[in-house]
DNA sequence: TTGCTCCTCACGTCACGTGAGGTGGC
DNA sequence: TTGCTCCTCACGTCACGTGAGGTGGC
């Protein structure tokens, strides 16, 4: 009394579909058939099926198991390389878990690029600022990037900068010019402290022109007309 | 100057296909279009894309990320459950690696069911015996199964059993009867030591009849005609 | 005119899960 | 006759990869 597919599947504790699949791809030898077409499996199928199940449980792919069956790969080599692969996977999962736990601990999803310490300045950055930082971090060359990160760690805590943050879009020319006059020395100071920022577009991975245009359009996206105007005027005054 | 798909993909270090995929499933907002249909992305797309990339790197599925975006799940809950899931995965991989290292160490692929210690008896079992053990372990109830495993750990080391192993298929009646006569006391002894084996089919998970038929047909598969004949005669003598 | 980029299908991947539609066995 | 099992397609899953075929931009 050989076994039906359900009996075989039950004995091996796999699904019937799994048995059919292994048949279809030739991993399990074709069973004999009853006159009506029903498949009949024997003990050789069972042992083979259990072997496949075990190998799958260890992490081998069906293709790998086929290779092992055909003698196309050395078992020891296959085991060794799978072990190495699993080691890599475990490592990646561990670091991912460490990050997840950090998120749970801090309650925040530290989404700023590395080098821009989020816990130090995360709270004081507006949404617009965060977006801007992200773009800068992707568009700048390494030198200006570092300088910019340093600047963000020690932001100029002056009244003019704070006023700039809340500048109304419809601010008049006098208001703007007054603000520009007070911010120019601040920016000059920044440039003295972080000289790399004077040539902000130098070394950009996609070219200075691309960096400049990207930053320009991001500014227009994130800051209002008056703020953009003020930034242009400051740049002109410093040129 | 907003970005083309290639520029966006390069800035985020993902493939263009990935960007298109996120657009297609609505994970990334539809970009604006140039008159010719070319897509144009801005800083909002970039920050979103980087956020998705980060979440993916942590192990979130795109569906989960969509839920998070829609506010359909609590971020903390999502993080907690992902962490638990990853913990489980890490554990499974660790045990798999331990098995892999055991295989590398022993040079063998310990494919016998648990309870049937392979290192103790692996070498002395023939291929047929191994198959038979596998079937028995799947077909017997817990009690006979344990008894059978115990028996295999302490096999009867008598000349008759070894002779049985090498019995030729065309062995004559006299040879067979002689062998039966010498094996009956051995088997009687086994039954005395492991009483559960006297009711071998008791408690079989798929029924006694199924177990009996399965074992019977496996015997015919693995042992030759003379050996089957001998086994039948021994059973008859013991009944 | 020639490459290069862009676009939209649409199939392939991996190991099966899950019906769909039809037939044999008690 | 009624469930139950069996069979063979064949689509769906997941996150894209990889062309295929056609068009715009320098």
């Amino acid at each position: 009394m050989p076994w039906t597919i359900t009996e075989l599947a039950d004995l091996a504790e796999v699904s019937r579909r799994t048995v059919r699949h292994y048949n279809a791809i030739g991993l399990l030898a074709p069973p004999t058939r009853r006159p009506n077409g029903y498949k009949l499996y024997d003990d050789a199928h069972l042992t083979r099926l259990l072997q496949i199940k075990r190998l799958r449980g260890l992490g081998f792919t069906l293709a790998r198991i086929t290779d092992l069956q055909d003698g196309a790969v050395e078992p020891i080599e296959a085991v060794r390389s799978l072990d190495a692969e699993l080691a890599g996977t475990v490592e990646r999962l561990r670091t991912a878990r460490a990050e997840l736990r950090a998120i749970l601990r801090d309650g925040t999803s530290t989404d700023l690029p590395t080098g821009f310490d989020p816990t130090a300045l995360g709270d004081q950055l507006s949404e617009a600022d965060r977006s801007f930082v992200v773009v800068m971090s992707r568009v700048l060359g390494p030198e200006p990037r570092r300088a910019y990160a340093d600047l963000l760690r020690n932001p100029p805590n002056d009244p003019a900068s704070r006023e700039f943050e809340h500048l109304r879009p419809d601010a008049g020319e006098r208001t703007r010019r007054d603000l520009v006059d007070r911010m120019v020395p601040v920016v000059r100071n920044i440039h003295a402290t972080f000289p790399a920022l004077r040539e902000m577009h130098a070394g950009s991975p996609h070219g200075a022109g691309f960096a400049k245009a990207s930053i320009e359009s991001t500014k227009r996206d994130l800051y209002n007309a008056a703020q953009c105007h003020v930034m242009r005027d400051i740049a002109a005054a410093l040129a």
Side-chain angles (χ1 to χ4, degrees), chain A:
Chain A
M1 183 211 81
W3 300 301
T4 68
I5 192 170
T6 295
E7 290 168 342
L8 177 72
D10 285 352
L11 287 174
E13 294 177 284
V14 302
S15 74
R16 277 166 302 193
R17 175 62 174 128
T18 294
V19 175
R20 292 204 177 96
H21 184 58
Y22 295 169
N23 275 152
I25 63 173
L27 197 52
L28 201 58
T32 57
R33 302 273 189 159
R34 284 167 62 182
N36 59 14
Y38 284 23
K39 291 166 175 163
L40 287 178
Y41 299 86
D42 61 24
D43 53 282
H45 291 107
L46 177 59
T47 54
R48 178 74 183 133
L49 181 53
L50 287 169
Q51 189 190 153
I52 297 170
K53 188 189 174 190
R54 180 147 191 280
L55 261 21
R56 281 285 302 145
L58 290 175
F60 286 98
T61 65
L62 295 186
R64 246 330 187 236
I65 297 174
T66 303
D67 288 345
L68 284 167
Q69 173 177 250
D70 299 348
V73 298
E74 275 306 306
I76 307 236
E77 257 325 290
V79 168
R80 223 187 289 280
S81 84
L82 174 61
D83 187 57
E85 192 183 315
L86 295 191
T89 304
V90 167
E91 251 320 284
R92 267 180 294 127
L93 292 182
R94 290 166 73 84
T95 63
R97 285 198 68 204
E99 280 192 68
L100 287 176
R101 281 192 294 266
I103 290 173
L104 281 176
R105 174 162 35 78
D106 302 341
T108 173
S109 90
T110 73
D111 56 354
L112 286 182
T114 51
F116 297 81
D117 186 355
T119 51
L121 47 82
D123 291 344
Q124 37 203 339
L125 283 183
S126 68
E127 267 306 301
D129 285 341
R130 295 175 81 91
S131 290
F132 196 71
V133 170
V134 167
V135 172
M136 294 295 265
S137 76
R138 290 279 151 177
V139 135
L140 296 183
E143 275 304 310
R145 193 185 123 96
R146 260 191 296 278
Y148 186 62
D150 286 344
L151 166 63
L152 281 178
R153 256 193 295 277
N154 309 303
N157 188 15
D158 69 306
S161 296
R162 280 198 303 280
E163 200 177 320
F164 173 83
E165 292 269 341
H166 302 102
L167 189 67
R168 304 262 296 278
D170 57 354
E173 198 194 331
R174 242 185 89 176
T175 310
R176 296 200 314 261
R177 189 173 316 184
D178 178 57
L179 188 54
V180 168
D181 286 346
R182 282 178 295 140
M183 287 186 76
V184 162
V186 173
V187 175
R188 213 189 291 278
N189 203 351
I190 289 173
H191 281 186
T193 316
F194 307 105
L197 290 182
R198 216 167 312 182
E199 304 230 354
M200 213 197 303
H201 309 125
S204 294
H206 303 277
F210 177 80
K212 190 172 178 185
S214 296
I215 294 169
E216 196 54 44
S217 99
T218 300
K219 270 184 193 165
R220 271 198 299 277
D221 225 41
L222 297 173
Y223 298 100
N224 67 42
Q227 290 171 317
C228 288
H229 204 148
V230 164
M231 285 191 270
R232 260 202 315 281
D233 288 350
I234 294 174
L238 288 171

